[in-house]
Amino acid sequence: MTLDQAGARSNPQPSRVRPAVRAAAIGNAVEWFDFAIYGFLATYIAAKFFPPGDDTAALLNTFAIFAAAFFMRPLGGFFFGPLGDRIGRQKVLARVILLMSASTLAIGLVPTYDTIGVLAPILLLVLRCLQGFSAGGEYGSGASFLAEFAPDRHRGFVVSFLVWSVVLGFLLGSLTVTGLETVLTEPAMESYGWRIPFLIAGAMGVVGLYIRLKLGETPEFEALRNDGEVSASPLREALTTAWRPILQILGLVVVHNVGFYVVFTFLPSYFTETLGFSTTDAFVSITVASSVALVLIPPLGALSDRVGRKPLLICGAIAFAVFTYPLFLLLNAGSLLTAVAAHAALAAIEAVFVSASLAAGAELFTTRVRSSGYSVGYNVSVAVFGGTAPYVATWLVSRTGNEIAPAYYVVIAAVVSLVTVLTMRETAARPLRRVNGG
């Protein structure tokens, strides 16, 4: 492998790329399984960790703790992002999955409100915040890891497997929870069954940690380290030299995150709590929606390598802005078939946008500050917009009595991201820059 002073490089061999993609995707799916099961078990958690009497208030409190984890993500990004630029992406990926799985396992062991009173939601909040802190190091390091392993001409396809594995983790979480609800009685599920996915997550975390410990470091970071060009203060350097791309990725991923958490976290509860469908119906819908996204994301990522990132990002943002309201009308039409179709259509729109957004974000930064800049911008955005999406959507329905109200939030997010995309340059198929001026 050759690199010139500007950081151009020959493309890595497929024998190195494929194992890196498989390992990163599997580890990422495990981590997001851990993170997702909280959302799928929200109604059980609401009943177990908050005083009885007001189901809506309990659910809002549960989603508030869901959102609190996201407010920890910028702290995780500020910590793990620069760490990835100093010691390497692989080492950070191993650390974050260890922290995520340990805190997830602990959630499954916390006594309920009936046993320890107010200490129960406090412990839940602390552990959920640890999950958020861990997640803050995942996307910046993961996106940098895959982008720096990928050939220039196929970077969109390779990096798309990061978000593909997030959807896979969410789907596995849904399958696990629904499978338990099928084989266990309702009293058993309420008593102890809701804890089982958290315990499973602990075991899966061991597997994920083993996989990540076997990963090698990226060719880009190895070259940077060998040439003595690793930044001594990557966070400060990112904030002073890469403030524009940090702002761009912050705006870019607004609809990425709002759309994702509305589609894959909020809508399963919306199906049962607002639309009045059964948990089985909600399971069918989230399974169909997840499957649609899983099928579409890799080929759309490959398409972004051919036509560019911006066309897909623009199409995805416009589609959210134009079609979200009509699709929410379909969700509320009273038919399970139309509701599932609308859910799948929202997932398809999300797939169009996210298939290109992660690669586009990684390509904004130089290798010296890629993990720092990506982590800061992405996690600030997800804290303000993504993590609050289930809470805001639930609050809007409760406050206004309008079951279509969550659509407005998605439309506003789409407009913000569309404006941001229009300020970005096209980066598809271009070599990554190792240092400024490269």
Side-chain angles (χ1 to χ4, degrees), residues 24 118 188 281 415 436:
V118 71
D281 295 335
V415 172
N436 283 327

Side-chain angles (χ1 to χ4, degrees), residues 167-241:
V167 179
L168 179 62
F170 271 73
L171 179 58
L172 291 175
S174 173
L175 290 171
T176 301
V177 172
T178 305
L180 287 169
E181 290 175 333
T182 301
V183 301
L184 295 177
T185 63
E186 184 65 21
M189 193 68 193
E190 293 177 353
S191 175
Y192 65 87
W194 66 271
R195 296 184 183 274
I196 295 176
F198 293 102
L199 304 181
I200 292 173
M204 291 176 63
V206 174
V207 176
L209 177 62
Y210 173 78
I211 290 171
R212 289 194 166 179
L213 288 173
K214 300 288 286 184
L215 291 172
E217 190 49 75
T218 71
E220 286 285 337
F221 187 81
E222 285 179 345
L224 196 75
R225 183 167 52 196
N226 291 340
D227 289 351
E229 294 180 341
V230 173
S231 175
S233 183
L235 179 58
R236 182 172 60 186
E237 184 174 334
L239 293 175
T240 55
T241 67

Side-chain angles (χ1 to χ4, degrees), residues 164 167 288-301 351:
W164 180 89
V167 179
V288 171
S290 299
S291 299
V292 167
L294 288 172
V295 169
L296 290 179
I297 287 171
L300 286 170

Side-chain angles (χ1 to χ4, degrees), residues 262-352:
V262 165
V263 171
F264 297 107
T265 300
F266 169 71
L267 283 184
S269 294
Y270 186 79
F271 260 68
T272 57
E273 300 298 318
T274 301
L275 302 182
F277 293 118
S278 68
T279 54
T280 301
D281 295 335
F283 166 73
V284 170
S285 190
I286 190 62
T287 301
V288 171
S290 299
S291 299
V292 167
L294 288 172
V295 169
L296 290 179
I297 287 171
L300 286 170
L303 181 62
S304 78
D305 288 320
R306 295 177 61 86
V307 304
R309 316 286 185 234
K310 290 185 69 172
L312 269 74
L313 295 172
I314 291 171
C315 287
I318 290 176
F320 265 130
V322 172
F323 294 114
T324 298
Y325 183 81
L327 288 172
F328 262 80
L329 289 176
L330 280 180
L331 282 167
N332 285 270
S335 164
L336 177 61
L337 182 61
T338 58
V340 172
H343 195 176
L346 286 167
I349 296 172
E350 176 71 3
V352 172

Side-chain angles (χ1 to χ4, degrees), residues 17-379:
V17 176
R18 294 191 188 101
V21 172
R22 285 195 298 266
I26 292 170
N28 198 53
V30 169
E31 175 140 356
W32 289 98
F33 171 90
D34 292 5
F35 202 73
I37 54 178
Y38 181 95
F40 293 119
L41 293 165
T43 54
Y44 297 103
I45 292 171
K48 289 297 180 180
F49 284 87
F50 297 97
D54 188 337
D55 291 343
T56 299
L59 189 60
L60 281 171
N61 286 331
T62 304
F63 279 138
I65 291 179
F66 182 91
F70 283 82
F71 288 113
M72 290 295 295
R73 288 185 62 167
L75 296 180
F78 275 90
F79 177 80
F80 287 114
L83 189 64
D85 283 328
R86 290 200 306 270
I87 69 173
R89 291 68 163 110
Q90 179 269 338
K91 291 182 175 64
V92 168
L93 288 173
R95 284 165 170 78
V96 296
I97 198 171
L98 177 62
L99 180 59
M100 173 69 80
S101 297
S103 53
T104 305
L105 174 63
I107 289 176
L109 301 174
V110 173
T112 64
Y113 184 90
D114 288 341
T115 304
I116 60 173
V118 71
L119 188 59
I122 292 174
L123 287 173
L124 179 65
L125 175 62
V126 170
L127 292 170
R128 187 66 183 169
C129 285
L130 286 176
Q131 284 188 314
F133 187 76
S134 166
E138 177 65 29
Y139 254 41
S141 298
S144 298
F145 182 86
L146 287 182
E148 292 171 8
F149 255 114
D152 297 332
R153 293 181 300 168
H154 303 293
R155 190 176 300 116
F157 176 67
V158 170
V159 177
S160 73
F161 280 94
L162 186 69
V163 72
W164 180 89
S165 63
V166 176
V167 179
L168 179 62
F170 271 73
L171 179 58
L172 291 175
S174 173
L175 290 171
T176 301
V177 172
T178 305
L180 287 169
E181 290 175 333
T182 301
V183 301
L184 295 177
T185 63
E186 184 65 21
M189 193 68 193
E190 293 177 353
S191 175
Y192 65 87
W194 66 271
R195 296 184 183 274
I196 295 176
F198 293 102
L199 304 181
I200 292 173
M204 291 176 63
V206 174
V207 176
L209 177 62
Y210 173 78
I211 290 171
R212 289 194 166 179
L213 288 173
K214 300 288 286 184
L215 291 172
E217 190 49 75
T218 71
E220 286 285 337
F221 187 81
E222 285 179 345
L224 196 75
R225 183 167 52 196
N226 291 340
D227 289 351
E229 294 180 341
V230 173
S231 175
S233 183
L235 179 58
R236 182 172 60 186
E237 184 174 334
L239 293 175
T240 55
T241 67
W243 58 269
R244 178 180 171 86
I246 288 174
L247 291 176
Q248 286 177 321
I249 196 169
L250 192 155
L252 170 68
V253 299
V254 170
V255 79
H256 173 125
N257 287 301
V258 170
F260 191 94
Y261 288 102
V262 165
V263 171
F264 297 107
T265 300
F266 169 71
L267 283 184
S269 294
Y270 186 79
F271 260 68
T272 57
E273 300 298 318
T274 301
L275 302 182
F277 293 118
S278 68
T279 54
T280 301
D281 295 335
F283 166 73
V284 170
S285 190
I286 190 62
T287 301
V288 171
S290 299
S291 299
V292 167
L294 288 172
V295 169
L296 290 179
I297 287 171
L300 286 170
L303 181 62
S304 78
D305 288 320
R306 295 177 61 86
V307 304
R309 316 286 185 234
K310 290 185 69 172
L312 269 74
L313 295 172
I314 291 171
C315 287
I318 290 176
F320 265 130
V322 172
F323 294 114
T324 298
Y325 183 81
L327 288 172
F328 262 80
L329 289 176
L330 280 180
L331 282 167
N332 285 270
S335 164
L336 177 61
L337 182 61
T338 58
V340 172
H343 195 176
L346 286 167
I349 296 172
E350 176 71 3
V352 172
F353 194 88
V354 301
S355 64
S357 58
L358 294 186
E363 290 163 345
L364 292 173
F365 299 96
T366 65
T367 303
R368 276 174 64 93
V369 299
R370 181 167 293 115
S371 182
S372 299
Y374 200 111
S375 295
V376 170
Y378 184 92
N379 285 296

